[in-house]
Amino acid sequence: MFSQNDYYEHEFFKVKATAQRFSGIEFEQCQFIECDFSHSQFSNCRFIDCEFINCNLSDLSWNYSSLEEVDFKGCKLNSIVWGQVNWPQLALTSPVSFKQCELSHSSFFELQLKALTMTNCFAKDVDFRHANLVQSNFSDTDFRDSLFHQTNLRKANFVGATQFNIDITSNDVSNAKFERLEALNLLTGLDIELVD
C-alpha cells in the first residue's frame, strides 16, 4: 500500500486499506481524504501536521505512532484507545483536534491533552477519567454515557455541549463554561432535589 518510508505534502484520496498493518512510515503535511483504515494498525509511524477528512478510522490501533498537529474532520474514530499514541512529552497544547467526528466507545484515560479541540462531535461512552483537559473546547459535542472522574476540566468550554454527566465533587470544573440549562446536569451527583 505505502511503498515509501516517508511522504511529504502527499494527498491520499479514497484509499481503502482495512485490517492492514503499516510500520515505520513518516507522513508530513499530508492529507487523507475519504480513506478507510478501519481495523488497521499504524505501528511506530509518525504523523506531522497532517489532516484526515471524512475518513473511517474506527477500531484503528496507533501502536506507538506519534501524532503532532494532526486534525481530524468529519471522521469516524470509534473504539480507539488513544493511550496507544506516543504523545509528545512537553506539549503545551494538544497535538490533535477533532471537528464533527464520531469518537464513541473510545478512551482518553489518563492522557495529558491540554487545550484539546473536540467540537460538534458525537462522543458516546468515551472514557475521560483522570485526563488533563485544561482549557479544552468541547462546544456542541454530545457526551452521552461518557465517563468523567478526577478529570481536569478547568477553563474548558462546554457551551452547546449536551448529555454530559460530570460530578462536580470528583472533577475540577473551575472557570469552565456551561450553558445555563445544561449546567443543571452538573447537579445530578449532589443528591439534591430540584424544584421548579
Side-chain angles (χ1 to χ4, degrees):
M1 159 71 235
F2 297 113
S3 55
Q4 301 165 218
N5 284 337
D6 51 86
Y7 291 87
Y8 179 71
E9 289 188 341
H10 197 92
E11 182 183 287
F12 299 94
F13 183 65
K14 291 196 173 180
V15 171
K16 186 170 173 60
T18 58
Q20 294 192 37
R21 186 173 187 267
F22 308 105
S23 184
I25 306 167
E26 183 170 302
F27 302 91
E28 185 172 359
Q29 293 183 24
C30 291
Q31 267 194 332
F32 299 84
I33 303 168
E34 295 179 30
C35 296
D36 187 352
F37 293 113
S38 56
H39 306 282
S40 287
Q41 182 180 105
F42 282 103
S43 184
N44 294 297
C45 294
R46 193 170 179 203
F47 296 84
I48 307 160
D49 199 15
C50 291
E51 199 173 33
F52 289 84
I53 302 168
N54 299 330
C55 293
N56 184 359
L57 305 167
S58 291
D59 284 300
L60 179 77
S61 171
W62 291 110
N63 204 16
Y64 299 106
S65 289
S66 64
L67 304 176
E68 302 160 42
E69 305 308 317
V70 177
D71 295 329
F72 298 92
K73 297 173 182 172
C75 293
K76 288 184 180 175
L77 298 153
N78 300 313
S79 305
I80 291 179
V81 178
W82 292 93
Q84 294 177 341
V85 172
N86 182 14
W87 298 106
Q89 291 300 307
L90 297 170
L92 296 176
T93 59
S94 172
V96 292
S97 73
F98 306 99
K99 294 170 185 170
Q100 297 176 318
C101 292
E102 288 180 33
L103 295 144
S104 298
H105 316 297
S106 295
S107 175
F108 291 87
F109 182 72
E110 289 188 337
L111 292 184
Q112 299 284 322
L113 291 173
K114 297 175 186 172
L116 174 67
T117 296
M118 186 182 289
T119 56
N120 287 95
C121 292
F122 184 67
K124 176 186 164 85
D125 184 33
V126 176
D127 188 351
F128 294 103
R129 292 172 304 151
H130 302 274
N132 184 357
L133 303 169
V134 170
Q135 293 184 316
S136 291
N137 183 3
F138 296 122
S139 59
D140 302 310
T141 290
D142 184 334
F143 286 104
R144 75 186 65 186
D145 303 326
S146 286
L147 299 173
F148 295 90
H149 180 70
Q150 294 185 352
T151 308
N152 191 341
L153 299 166
R154 279 185 296 114
K155 298 183 180 178
N157 177 11
F158 282 90
V159 174
T162 57
Q163 307 282 336
F164 50 83
N165 185 3
I166 300 170
D167 184 344
I168 57 176
T169 63
S170 66
N171 295 282
D172 186 348
V173 293
S174 54
N175 295 309
K177 282 186 192 168
F178 297 90
E179 282 186 0
R180 201 176 300 274
L181 283 174
E182 289 295 332
L184 293 173
N185 289 337
L186 299 173
L187 304 178
T188 55
L190 295 179
D191 195 26
I192 59 174
E193 183 181 347
L194 296 174
V195 181
D196 285 333

